[in-house]
Amino acid sequence: MIRTVATKPFGDQKPGTSGLRKKVPHFQQENYAENFLQSIFDAAERPAGSALVIGGDGRFFNAEVIRRAIRMAAANGVAKVIVGQNGILSTPAASNLIRQRKAAGGIILSASHNPGGPDGDFGIKYNIANGGPAPEGVTEAIYKRTQGISEYRIWDGDAPDLSVVGTSRLGDMEVEIVDPVADYAALMETLFDFGKIRAAIANGLTLRFDAMHAVTGPYAHEILERRLGAPVGTVLNGVPSEDFGGGHPDPNVVWAAPLVDLLMGPTAPDFGAASDGDGDRNMILGRGIVVTPSDSLAVLAANAHLAPGYAKGIAGIARSMPTSGAADRVAKKRSIGIYETPTGWKFFGNLLDAGKVTICGEESAGTGSDHVREKDGLWAVLLWLNILAERGQSVAEIVEGHWAEFGRNYYQRHDYEEVDKAAAEELMDHLRQRLASMAGQRFGTLVVSEADDFSYKDPIDGSVSTGQGVRIVFSGGSRIVFRLSGTGTVGATLRVYIERFEPDPARHDLSVEEALRELVETADVIGEIRKRTGRAEPDVRT
Ligand code: G16
């Protein structure tokens, strides 16, 4: 039986960079999750008879909201829902299922790399029929609906047991609970030379993968240990937990420090990697080297043809604006397209659908390809392994060889977290006001060649996104980018992205700190970061 429940709008349900993210207690307010879910059902396109995929990263509150989403789908005329067993689906696996099953879309419950648990973060994101995050037109329509909502519909009866794989019914709706790993692992086998990787591992290639107590554990156990024959113990922290073992499932040098220490130490394996809460991000390491996400994108793009799924070559590359220009140098040399988009995977969808690009990536530890419409952590790990197996070189040799061929983009991102929101917005406004007069100004040895607030016109549908980050470019190509994160849940997070290109191989062995020192100091002078945020140092450098 369908029950209609009266509700009132919440003013704060505007999706950010990647869906709606808030603290768990905020989501636990009466009707909060239901309002957003109903707005998705009302605003998103759903052809009659179509299916919806539902799953999440297993964090606290995941299973509860999935049961509610299933009951609401049954009350909103959805013909079928496809749900990951125990509510688990990594974000790329959900994207794959939407595509494979030709679903109308998917509801993904995740706050990605943000911490979990009763006081942690939670999120709801809607993906469209191509498997990718809803574009701004759709998220705007959902938001608009949240502002006028007066009731939601829910099936008055329990959702099926999420632990049992199989098909059942809830009212007129079919509920299929699926193994979350099987289809995804099968897709990976079509892209990579599993035989070659297995042989390399059998011949002594050693690796560790840190699943950070998050969703990739089951995927990594199946693919790396069972299918590729890596020894048991290769996957660390491989059992998903509701609070990620009390940690912060963000694969960077701060939050994955134990893995970094292992790779820098005397017992380092050849290759190390980690993924985040929902399995779409990745960190790549070799013995003695951390590969920046921007470099990883460039190396993967330059070598993708070594994997069977990309043997014909890649059509083009897309990167988010703050991501370093390393990939651009690969595109230029290979005469393929390069696209610069705003931050947010949703901006890659049209380019991938149109076949303009094959590989995409972001400085925020995301890389992926046209195999799904999300970034994909394990995909990046497998492509790296395929390249290592083909080239027979170490990670450091491959990266250093890449710099020698294409030049090195020294790069670092500084995050100032939980900054006072008004102060952060004033900092950005102050920068914007000065843009017009910046060109020609000198800071130490640096001279500004151009300064703007990035805006993007989608080449496929013509939609325009403005205010996507302040860029200060210096003669010689170095640059500083300032923007506010769209994924934080407390105050504001200021991100400052610093980059310097160095063509000369004789200067490729500087420390990043050394290479970027003057730019970092200049970022503070231009942005007045210390003065306006009260912070002497960033919280995280990635
Ligand atoms: C999301 C988006 C990414 C974006 C990242 C950081 O990743 O999907 O495209 O780069 O947030 O965004 P921001 O700088 O606005 O915080 P995830 O892994 O959190 O879903």
Side-chain angles (χ1 to χ4, degrees):
M1 209 188 62
I2 295 169
R3 186 153 54 95
T4 303
V5 182
T7 186
K8 287 201 180 72
F10 291 88
D12 64 351
Q13 296 200 318
K14 192 175 175 64
T17 307
S18 189
L20 184 68
R21 286 189 195 168
K22 303 282 176 201
K23 291 276 170 215
V24 167
H26 200 88
F27 257 107
Q28 286 172 324
Q29 296 173 80
E30 196 178 359
N31 300 343
Y32 193 84
E34 286 86 345
N35 274 19
F36 194 71
L37 290 167
Q38 184 64 51
S39 301
I40 294 174
F41 289 120
D42 291 345
E45 215 173 283
R46 283 189 292 125
S50 61
L52 263 187
V53 169
I54 305 179
D57 62 11
R59 67 179 58 226
F60 183 83
F61 208 40
N62 185 59
E64 173 58 35
V65 176
I66 287 184
R67 282 192 288 268
R68 290 187 209 171
I70 294 171
R71 291 168 58 209
M72 289 181 67
N76 276 281
V78 174
K80 175 173 180 163
V81 288
I82 303 159
V83 186
Q85 186 182 20
N86 297 317
I88 294 277
L89 275 179
S90 78
T91 291
S95 181
N96 180 46
L97 262 186
I98 295 169
R99 294 166 67 78
Q100 299 273 326
R101 304 296 198 90
K102 303 203 174 0
I107 295 173
I108 302 178
L109 294 314
S110 168
S112 188
H113 53 288
N114 298 9
D119 298 316
D121 289 355
F122 192 75
I124 303 181
K125 183 170 92 149
Y126 185 68
N127 280 30
I128 59 172
N130 75 352
E136 280 187 336
V138 178
T139 55
E140 267 306 308
I142 293 170
Y143 173 59
K144 208 165 157 223
R145 183 70 197 120
T146 67
Q147 297 311 289
I149 194 166
S150 59
E151 58 182 40
Y152 66 84
R153 290 181 291 287
I154 189 160
W155 186 259
D156 214 1
D158 287 344
D161 182 346
L162 298 180
S163 69
V164 184
V165 169
T167 301
S168 60
R169 296 198 83 79
L170 196 62
D172 290 336
M173 185 178 79
E174 189 180 329
V175 181
E176 184 183 350
I177 312 272
V178 299
D179 173 345
V181 177
D183 289 16
Y184 177 83
L187 174 67
M188 292 300 115
E189 294 228 29
T190 67
L191 299 173
F192 303 113
D193 190 339
F194 271 44
K196 198 141 213 172
I197 302 173
R198 197 181 305 117
I201 291 172
N203 288 329
L205 176 72
T206 53
L207 61 142
R208 289 284 184 289
F209 176 84
D210 189 346
M212 303 191 84
H213 305 277
V215 78
T216 49
Y219 296 85
H221 279 302
E222 172 63 26
I223 294 171
L224 301 178
E225 294 179 352
R226 289 189 204 106
R227 300 196 186 197
L228 293 172
V232 171
T234 296
V235 178
L236 310 169
N237 305 315
V239 179
S241 93
E242 286 201 330
D243 68 347
F244 308 113
H248 199 132
D250 193 355
N252 62 36
V253 293
V254 175
W255 298 112
L259 181 73
V260 179
D261 291 346
L262 175 69
L263 269 289
M264 299 305 132
T267 58
D270 298 307
F271 179 80
S275 190
D276 69 333
D278 61 332
D280 56 2
R281 296 185 174 206
N282 71 85
M283 176 170 69
I284 301 294
L285 307 110
R287 185 178 296 129
I289 184 171
V290 180
V291 185
T292 69
S294 296
D295 276 347
S296 180
L297 169 67
V299 170
L300 293 181
N303 292 278
H305 59 278
L306 299 175
Y310 308 93
K312 290 196 196 110
I314 58 174
I317 312 168
R319 64 163 173 86
S320 65
M321 180 274 283
T323 304
S324 95
D328 303 36
R329 300 181 188 281
V330 175
K332 191 160 179 236
K333 209 160 179 181
R334 301 280 163 85
S335 304
I336 54 173
I338 176 84
Y339 296 83
E340 188 178 35
T341 61
T343 294
W345 205 262
K346 59 191 170 203
F347 292 103
F348 295 139
N350 279 345
L351 295 168
L352 290 163
D353 284 352
K356 299 260 182 220
V357 302
T358 309
I359 288 195
C360 307
E362 296 185 280
E363 52 66 37
S364 57
T367 15
S369 86
D370 59 359
H371 67 292
V372 288
R373 292 293 180 273
E374 287 279 4
K375 53 189 184 278
D376 188 344
L378 270 167
W379 170 89
V381 170
L382 292 169
L383 182 47
W384 262 100
L385 288 173
N386 204 147
I387 293 166
L388 291 173
E390 281 291 340
R391 291 187 47 167
Q393 290 173 298
S394 70
V395 173
E397 283 165 346
I398 289 175
V399 172
E400 283 158 15
H402 185 94
W403 292 337
E405 183 179 357
F406 297 96
R408 177 171 184 186
N409 290 68
Y410 285 99
Y411 187 87
Q412 205 168 49
R413 185 180 95 189
H414 292 187
D415 291 344
Y416 298 81
E417 294 171 348
E418 300 187 18
V419 171
D420 177 70
K421 209 166 176 198
E425 279 163 5
E426 278 165 27
L427 184 154
M428 293 301 297
D429 284 345
H430 184 242
L431 279 169
R432 288 194 183 100
Q433 282 156 18
R434 288 153 57 214
L435 284 175
S437 60
M438 284 285 241
Q441 281 191 34
R442 173 179 285 278
F443 299 90
T445 67
L446 299 165
V447 180
V448 177
S449 59
E450 44 186 321
D452 70 355
D453 191 0
F454 181 59
S455 79
Y456 177 68
K457 183 168 182 198
D458 186 298
I460 312 301
D461 67 16
S463 58
V464 175
S465 305
T466 56
Q468 297 294 325
V470 166
R471 301 190 282 195
I472 319 272
V473 184
F474 301 94
S475 38
S478 296
R479 65 173 194 168
I480 303 170
V481 174
F482 296 85
R483 65 177 278 280
L484 299 184
S485 157
T487 57
T489 56
V490 183
T493 296
L494 171 68
R495 302 207 196 283
V496 185
Y497 311 81
I498 299 137
E499 175 179 2
R500 168 183 152 193
F501 178 62
E502 180 51 71
D504 182 359
R507 289 203 295 262
H508 284 172
D509 58 355
L510 304 179
S511 73
V512 177
E513 287 68 28
E514 208 180 330
L516 299 181
R517 186 167 296 126
E518 187 178 18
L519 282 160
V520 170
E521 286 164 8
T522 306
D524 189 52
V525 172
I526 295 179
E528 301 180 352
I529 303 170
R530 275 180 227 203
K531 184 177 130 197
R532 290 175 177 274
T533 65
R535 303 288 176 80
E537 290 288 326
D539 297 279
V540 180
R541 289 183 177 85
T542 55

